[in-house]
Amino acid sequence: MSLQEQLETLEKETLQQIDNATDLDALNQIRVQTLGKKGPITEVLRGMKDLAPEERPKVGSFANQVRDTLTQQIEEKKAVLETEALNQALAAESIDVTLPGKQIPQGTRHILNKIIEEIEDIFVGMGYQIIEGSEVEQDYYNFERMNIPKNHPARDMQDTFYISDELLIRTHTSPVQARTMETHDFSKGPLRMISPGKVFRRDTDDATHSHQFHQIEGLVVDKHITMGDLKGTLEVLMKKMFGENREVRLRPSYFPFTEPSVEADVSCFKCGGKGCNVCKNTGWIEILGSGMVHPDVLEMSGIDSREYTGFAFGLGPDRIAMLRYGVNDIRSFYLNDTRFIDQFKGE
Ligand code: FA5
């Protein structure tokens, strides 16, 4: 068989093989076998040296033509196979947009944080500053500056966790009173602040007591501050929290750092004062402790108690949340059970 005939046969057979190739691997193999360095075309071109000189250009150009045809056919077939492979992959990965999506669980703000923020907003609207106190506090600020010296019986009600003899985790937010009073510059205006935060006590946990809970301290000091200012302020707070018809009642009480001291009650938001299970049939709900800042507390902070007076209060947002949402166990707030927390998502 002449070289020319060999090439013609090769072309025919290879075109057939290309046509039959069903995947890219097979096609690549044909390419390497036919057009590669050890392939038949290279072989033919090598054998040209044995041809008569006048035959060489003819056979040479024919060999090149065959190589070009095969290369082009392989490229075209490759494009076809690639498109097929892509279509197959797309079909296999097709997405059913009508299937329901995967729900990614979304967190929510804790209801206690929401209550605290709501109370903060009310007081910011009345020109109060929000002060952040420290959960680790000195015995001196937590007790002594609040008129509760060492061995004072009032310490019994607020036992806590001590870090050292002089350092403890605070039992109430009242030490923030002393800290803000001693730094406030009265030439810039009255002192009006609230301070929310965590407090800790050696209380036995039950439905209404937790060893860790929240308080919001409130303090106003200026010239001519009276109990009337205290009552009016608490009324604004209660009406905003529990509805416009709420009334506030003050009852005598005792705190070492206020004189006089009062417990503030709000008229029951459920029965309006007639008596029900929320107010234990009294018509009133006890909401916070407060009073006029004791002159000794003012003096210990370097404030002249003959010129300045003030009121202070401390409320428990945990108890307010319990009342408002009918939660009957304070411990539910601290269990990290998302089924409980999620109930307040819309609030
Ligand atoms: C005080 O802690 C005073 N520092 C409040 C105060 C501030 C009075 C400024 C006068 C002037 P008392 O111990 O009553 O007071 O606590 C205040 C509020 O904290 C209570 O009304 C209650 O709502 C909440 N509370 C007290 N103990 C617990 C507890 N174990 N668990 C949950 N809430 C509590």
Side-chain angles (χ1 to χ4, degrees), residues 158 171-174 177 201 203 208-211 213-215 217-218 255 257-258 263 286-291 312-316 318-319 330:
Q158 295 194 15
T171 59
H172 53 174
T173 43
S174 295
Q177 283 190 38
R201 287 188 195 177
D203 277 351
T208 51
H209 293 83
S210 168
H211 61 279
F213 56 102
H214 294 83
Q215 284 191 339
E217 195 76 13
F255 295 102
F257 36 91
T258 45
E263 293 285 344
E286 187 183 314
I287 218 88
L288 53 79
S290 60
F313 58 84
L315 63 85
D318 307 44
R319 297 250 175 100
I330 193 170

Side-chain angles (χ1 to χ4, degrees), residues 14-15 33 43-44 60 74 125 128 130 188 242 276 297 332 343:
T14 310
L15 284 173
Q33 271 169 15
E43 204 62 17
V44 168
I74 286 172
Y128 285 58
I130 298 169
K188 299 213 166 99
F242 291 110
C276 69
V297 172
S332 314
Q343 294 179 77

Side-chain angles (χ1 to χ4, degrees), residues 98-123:
T98 63
L99 282 175
K102 269 191 204 143
Q103 284 275 333
I104 298 167
Q106 248 193 345
T108 176
R109 295 184 79 73
H110 196 286
I111 188 64
L112 289 179
N113 287 331
K114 288 186 193 168
I115 290 271
I116 290 169
E117 278 167 22
E118 191 180 328
I119 296 173
E120 283 178 358
D121 281 350
I122 294 170
F123 280 99

Side-chain angles (χ1 to χ4, degrees), residues 58-101:
K58 227 171 89 193
V59 176
S61 105
F62 186 62
N64 283 336
Q65 192 190 314
V66 170
R67 193 180 49 202
D68 290 349
T69 308
L70 293 179
T71 306
Q72 193 193 340
Q73 286 305 309
I74 286 172
E75 283 308 312
E76 277 174 21
K77 180 75 180 195
K78 192 176 163 207
V80 170
L81 289 176
E82 275 175 350
T83 311
E84 264 173 25
L86 181 65
N87 286 340
Q88 263 169 22
L90 284 176
E93 287 169 19
S94 73
I95 298 164
D96 183 350
V97 290
T98 63
L99 282 175

